[in-house]
Amino acid sequence: MERLESLKSALSEALKEKGIIVDEVTTEKKGKYNFLTVVLDKVGGIDLDGIVEATNIINPIVDKYDICDDSYILDVISKERGN
């Protein structure tokens, strides 16, 4: 859990200049797959281009933190759901 908090802090720092808030970072095993989920938020919402841009920033940071011992799927999502 401590590694996830450290990762969340590093991601928050990296994304703050874009106005993006890291709401949550979790790991979960679903079937045979491990997921590392990063939930993002931003005033006014985040569009698909924003998610892609954030993912490009997140990827190398996640690699450095080596959160999961096994392979995993990085799932970067927006907190906001459509109306």
Side-chain angles (χ1 to χ4, degrees):
M1 221 36 174
E2 189 176 309
R3 287 193 298 176
L4 286 180
E5 284 303 316
S6 295
L7 175 59
K8 181 179 177 184
S9 178
L11 295 176
S12 294
E13 184 65 29
L15 294 169
K16 78 177 176 185
E17 78 175 41
K18 304 279 184 198
I20 298 173
I21 300 159
V22 179
D23 186 65
E24 188 176 22
V25 178
T26 59
T27 56
E28 182 179 9
K29 187 165 182 98
K30 294 180 184 176
K32 63 181 181 173
Y33 299 104
N34 294 305
F35 287 85
L36 174 61
T37 303
V38 179
V39 181
L40 304 177
D41 201 4
K42 183 177 182 178
V43 175
I46 304 173
D47 61 10
L48 184 57
D49 289 337
I51 292 290
V52 170
E53 183 179 12
T55 301
N56 289 333
I57 294 168
I58 289 169
N59 244 335
I61 297 169
V62 166
D63 288 345
K64 286 181 188 175
Y65 276 77
D66 194 28
I67 295 296
C68 299
D69 294 332
D70 295 325
S71 61
Y72 60 88
I73 296 168
L74 176 61
D75 190 17
V76 180
I77 60 174
S78 172
K79 184 176 179 179
E80 186 174 330
R81 303 290 184 212
N83 294 344

